[in-house]
Amino acid sequence: MSICNKKTLLCLAVSGSLFSVSYAANANDHHDHNHHDGEHHESEHRHHDAHVHGVVETNIAQDGDHLLFEITAPGADVVGFEHAPKDDAQKQVLANAVKTLNNPNLIFTLPENAKCTFEEAHVSHNLVNHNDHDDHEHDHDHDHDQHDGEHHKEHGKHGEFSAQYEYHCEAISNLDQIETQWFTHFPHTHKMTIQYLGDAGQKAASLTPKSSVITL
């Protein structure tokens, strides 16, 4: 069961309230590049939600003694490809990645004095194999156009991973920083954007392999 089904308000904080932080960051970017014309602005708006290779998005929401992480990562960042595994080697890479993602203690380090206990993880991805192609090969003449269109649509999809982690922290007031080891496990990632919402207020930050700690 998805964590969001259990922590609806906390999830709404992650997906909704953090928009103001993201909007402010985007507004600053547009201010710095105000020489671009309207066409460029429209293009950026169109692709606002498109994922970018090398960039992982992380939302963190704190409500009382609960802490929720929500990660969205391109498949290329996690396993090096954005399609269903094509051989045993890629299947193993995918399995290892899912195993790592299901262990948030390998991904984040929280201050010991915050007394945070991991409670639940929910990891998903869309790098799945659909075996319809061979089954419909004999209908080539009749369904060629439709099949070709569906194949093109499928081919155009971006492979993506999603992970949610829930913690219970007995001394949440001592949560003054969060460190990530994401770059160690997934070196294809160049940057992790962080959006935080909690008692410490709202904060946006960008982490890199050389700067992997966010101060709250």
Side-chain angles (χ1 to χ4, degrees):
M1 177 185 295
S2 170
I3 293 173
C4 277
N5 291 336
K6 299 171 59 181
K7 300 292 179 183
T8 304
L9 292 178
L10 200 54
C11 287
L12 286 175
V14 170
S15 61
S17 298
L18 285 170
F19 171 77
S20 59
V21 181
S22 178
Y23 179 82
N26 287 334
N28 288 334
D29 286 342
H30 285 304
H31 177 74
D32 292 338
H33 298 86
N34 58 12
H35 60 280
H36 290 305
D37 58 25
E39 182 179 349
H40 177 75
H41 176 80
E42 182 180 349
S43 176
E44 270 206 80
H45 179 75
R46 261 199 317 271
H47 297 286
H48 177 73
D49 293 326
H51 74 187
V52 180
H53 293 182
V55 179
V56 170
E57 298 178 354
T58 300
N59 294 326
I60 306 172
Q62 177 254 321
D63 181 23
D65 54 8
H66 288 284
L67 192 65
L68 181 71
F69 290 75
E70 184 179 74
I71 304 172
T72 302
D77 282 48
V78 179
V79 293
F81 50 88
E82 292 199 336
H83 50 73
K86 294 182 177 180
D87 52 38
D88 289 341
Q90 290 188 346
K91 289 180 181 178
Q92 189 60 54
V93 170
L94 178 58
N96 291 342
V98 171
K99 183 177 180 180
T100 298
L101 288 172
N102 270 298
N103 187 351
N105 291 328
L106 296 177
I107 307 297
F108 295 106
T109 299
L110 308 178
E112 289 187 12
N113 60 354
K115 299 181 180 179
C116 296
T117 303
F118 165 64
E119 291 195 338
E120 188 176 352
H122 179 75
V123 176
S124 62
H125 64 83
N126 61 358
L127 277 67
V128 294
N129 207 349
H130 300 287
N131 297 316
D132 296 334
H133 183 79
D134 292 334
D135 295 339
H136 295 287
E137 193 68 34
H138 63 281
D139 294 328
H140 178 272
D141 292 335
H142 180 69
D143 295 329
H144 177 269
D145 291 340
Q146 180 179 356
H147 181 271
D148 186 62
E150 290 175 354
H151 178 74
H152 179 75
K153 184 186 296 183
E154 184 71 25
H155 181 73
K157 289 183 179 179
H158 288 292
E160 194 170 75
F161 284 78
S162 175
Q164 294 177 342
Y165 307 133
E166 183 187 352
Y167 290 83
H168 174 262
C169 302
E170 294 182 15
I172 194 73
S173 60
N174 292 326
L175 184 71
D176 56 358
Q177 70 173 35
I178 298 173
E179 181 178 4
T180 184
Q181 289 76 45
W182 177 278
F183 301 101
T184 299
H185 298 289
F186 307 115
H188 292 289
T189 302
H190 305 303
K191 182 173 71 173
M192 174 182 280
T193 62
I194 304 287
Q195 308 281 358
Y196 171 85
L197 176 66
D199 290 345
Q202 295 183 349
K203 185 160 188 176
S206 293
L207 303 184
T208 66
K210 294 184 178 179
S211 178
S212 57
V213 178
I214 178 174
T215 301
L216 304 177

